[in-house]
Amino acid sequence: MSTLWHGRFEGGPAEALQALNDSLPFDRRMFREDIAGSRAHATMLADVGLLTVEERNAVIAALEQVETEFAEDRFETVPSDEDIHTAVERRVTEICGDPGAKLHTGRSRNDQVATDVRLWTRGAIDEIIDLVLGFQATLLGHAEQAGGAYLPGYTHLQQAQPVSLSHHLLAHGWALARDVDRLFDARRRTDVSSLGAGALAGSSLPLDPVRTAELLGFAGVFENSLDAVADRDFVLDTLYALAVLGVHLSRIGEELILWASEEFGFIGLDDGFSTGSSMMPQKKNPDIAELARGKAGRLIGHLTGLLTTLKGLPLTYNKDMQEDKEPLFDGIDTVRLTLLALDGMVSTLTFRTDRMAESASSPYAAATDLAEFLVSRGMPFRQAHAVVGEKVRRALAGEASLADLVANDDQLGPEAAGLLEPGVSPHRRTTRGAGGRTAVASQLDRFRAQLARDQARTSQ
Ligand code: ARG
């Protein structure tokens, strides 16, 4: 078998070495990026006079043929195809001969792989951003439809203050807006070319890294060749953005699981997006939401795994860095699958607003409104808290209903008792970002505007 380094070595590689070392089984999915990088490199080599125009054309035609072979799944590998870079170059040289042997001029797999991964990641981030924006639109649609529906708001998973359903849905929407922003951030740091750094030190040949960066549509180009081949921060940035997004999807999943339970009964699931039990005929399970919760674990694992891989590496490239791709690919695949399924589940579920209202209508849920009522009449808040607290304690002890105790109180009275009527409290909170109807109406406007801005950013 002829390796890339056969000149220096007498024997071929051991089977165990190859089995551990080969990355083609997983990095072949970057074939388009590898070929795009080679096309740009060959074009630049011709621009600076290191390839003739005929040689460049021969290489580019061969690259096109290899791309088709991969795309049609008829690329034939040979045992020496260690990774996608080796495989493409070997085949190009087979097809076009000597010009192919010039393709690697001034280039190393070290700058090549960094460039390929950057290209791949840039495209993957764009795809994930689109999916997150789609899911946000689903939440927005529900929030627009929710009208005056309200449910208990929770802290410590104890009923705290009732909030409108739109408000609750938009809370998740805003968290996802930060995910979109984080993904754009990761994209910005990904969008820098490494091509032209060589193995680590640049080149004595008149290469033009700015030209290849331009040809590949990168927004920037590396500043330091050592850093260019050693840097995988952009993969970490991406994995971090995916992990936080995964945590948000997990928290949404957890709520959907609670809400779909008999005990809450806040939502009904569409048959197409829920599963049954092999034994218990009555069951309808929220598997998608559970998997959204479960998948967050591996996304966090991918981030911590790669951080750990990178932390001890001296400059510059080390083979450990080949471990960047599987977590990255799996992270993107995992988030893609999860977003698609969760979006389907959420867009088809039905809200049981009667159950929500019923459970948010305990008079105790309006206790804070009573205290605020007293404050608006001039009482210091601490005192108001104590006055209402005393009524709650007496009502809980069975002395009378809270409404009666409030109505008969000198300072509270019948007007305050009106606040305990179901559905009154949630819409009284009118401050910016609050959960009442009027505040939510302007929040909806701001959310729509944010979504439109993010959608516009994707096409820039
Ligand atoms: N397959 C390698 C990787 O994914 C490509 C770079 C190999 N470079 C080297 N000098 N062995 O990282």
Side-chain angles (χ1 to χ4, degrees):
M1 175 178 131
S2 158
T3 57
L4 291 175
W5 50 86
H6 60 89
R8 162 75 177 74
F9 281 53
E10 275 176 15
E15 225 174 273
L17 162 74
Q18 256 188 295
L20 177 67
N21 201 32
D22 286 3
S23 55
L24 187 60
F26 53 87
D27 66 17
R28 63 181 299 149
R29 68 187 283 177
M30 301 192 303
F31 75 87
R32 286 184 206 283
E33 290 75 15
D34 195 73
I35 287 166
S38 287
R39 199 183 288 125
H41 189 66
T43 304
M44 179 277 292
L45 289 177
D47 288 353
V48 302
L50 288 166
L51 284 185
T52 65
V53 171
E54 295 71 41
E55 287 170 331
R56 178 199 67 194
N57 293 347
V59 167
I60 287 178
L63 284 167
E64 230 127 80
Q65 183 180 330
V66 175
E67 186 161 13
T68 313
E69 289 176 4
F70 268 106
E72 294 176 357
D73 211 16
R74 52 185 177 77
F75 183 91
E76 281 173 34
T77 58
V78 302
S80 64
D81 289 346
E82 188 186 315
D83 50 29
I84 185 65
H85 329 293
T86 325
V88 169
E89 190 191 333
R90 188 263 310 155
R91 182 75 184 120
V92 164
T93 310
E94 235 169 57
I95 296 169
C96 74
D98 280 350
K102 290 190 174 180
L103 175 59
H104 214 50
T105 305
R107 185 179 74 171
S108 156
R109 283 182 296 156
N110 298 351
D111 59 339
Q112 200 180 352
V113 70
T115 307
D116 289 8
V117 178
R118 284 175 181 278
L119 285 172
W120 190 90
T121 305
R122 192 176 66 178
I125 289 176
D126 287 342
E127 193 199 338
I128 299 298
I129 289 176
D130 281 342
L131 291 174
V132 179
L133 292 173
F135 187 36
Q136 286 180 285
T138 298
L139 292 171
L140 172 63
H142 278 314
E144 287 171 336
Q145 297 297 309
Y150 60 95
L151 73 164
Y154 297 86
T155 60
H156 312 268
L157 198 56
Q158 306 290 318
Q159 291 197 3
Q161 291 179 289
V163 293
S164 67
L165 176 58
S166 320
H167 192 48
H168 190 108
L169 294 169
L170 287 176
H172 290 303
W174 290 110
L176 294 172
R178 291 191 298 276
D179 290 316
V180 168
D181 197 43
R182 259 184 290 277
L183 287 163
F184 276 121
D185 243 12
R187 190 192 194 283
R188 184 170 54 78
R189 276 187 290 271
T190 300
D191 200 12
V192 178
S193 181
S194 313
L195 201 56
L200 75 165
S203 177
S204 63
L205 299 166
L207 304 181
D208 186 355
V210 174
R211 175 82 179 117
T212 37
E214 214 174 76
L215 288 166
L216 291 168
F218 278 114
V221 62
F222 68 90
E223 295 292 350
N224 177 307
S225 63
L226 303 176
D227 184 41
V229 297
D231 171 23
R232 291 295 183 276
D233 292 2
F234 67 99
V235 183
L236 293 175
D237 290 339
T238 305
L239 291 178
Y240 174 66
L242 294 178
V244 179
L245 172 56
V247 166
H248 290 154
L249 300 181
S250 170
R251 294 178 75 171
I252 293 171
E254 166 66 5
E255 275 189 359
L256 293 172
I257 294 162
L258 286 172
W259 288 11
S261 70
E262 203 74 50
E263 288 72 9
F264 276 78
F266 287 180
I267 52 173
L269 302 180
D270 185 81
D271 284 358
F273 291 94
S274 41
T275 56
S277 155
S278 57
M279 184 172 141
M280 300 166 283
Q282 87 284 10
K283 290 290 293 275
K284 198 163 172 185
N285 294 328
D287 288 34
I288 292 175
E290 293 166 76
L291 284 166
R293 192 176 57 184
K295 297 282 186 195
R298 72 202 267 169
L299 295 170
I300 296 164
H302 291 331
L303 172 63
T304 56
L306 187 62
L307 280 166
T308 312
T309 297
L310 293 173
K311 80 173 187 58
L313 301 185
L315 293 180
T316 55
Y317 178 83
N318 298 270
K319 199 55 171 272
D320 316 44
M321 290 161 69
Q322 182 164 285
E323 290 293 304
D324 61 353
K325 281 171 276 304
E326 285 164 294
L328 174 66
F329 295 162
D330 182 77
I332 294 286
D333 290 344
T334 298
V335 168
R336 180 194 301 110
L337 285 176
T338 308
L339 273 168
L340 283 168
L342 202 58
D343 193 2
M345 180 186 187
V346 171
S347 51
T348 54
L349 62 75
T350 46
F351 291 105
R352 305 227 163 103
T353 51
D354 50 332
R355 288 290 304 265
M356 292 179 177
E358 191 188 323
S359 117
S361 295
S362 147
Y364 300 108
T368 311
D369 298 87
L370 293 177
E372 286 175 3
F373 173 89
L374 293 174
V375 166
S376 70
R377 302 267 179 297
M379 186 182 286
F381 179 74
R382 276 291 148 233
Q383 200 182 326
H385 187 285
V387 169
V388 176
E390 187 246 4
K391 302 278 174 297
V392 169
R393 183 173 51 73
R394 284 165 54 197
L396 285 171
E399 191 179 312
S401 75
L402 183 63
D404 286 348
L405 290 168
V406 168
N408 295 324
D409 184 87
D410 289 349
Q411 290 155 305
L412 288 158
E415 191 187 340
L419 302 178
L420 304 180
E421 293 295 322
V424 172
S425 156
H427 297 299
R428 283 176 47 82
R429 285 174 276 283
T430 50
T431 46
R432 182 193 158 92
R437 208 189 314 257
T438 51
V440 168
S442 49
Q443 188 190 156
L444 272 167
D445 285 340
R446 292 198 301 274
F447 189 78
R448 275 188 286 261
Q450 176 71 46
L451 197 55
R453 270 197 301 277
D454 286 340
Q455 271 152 356
R457 260 171 109 182
T458 61
S459 47
Q460 269 163 26

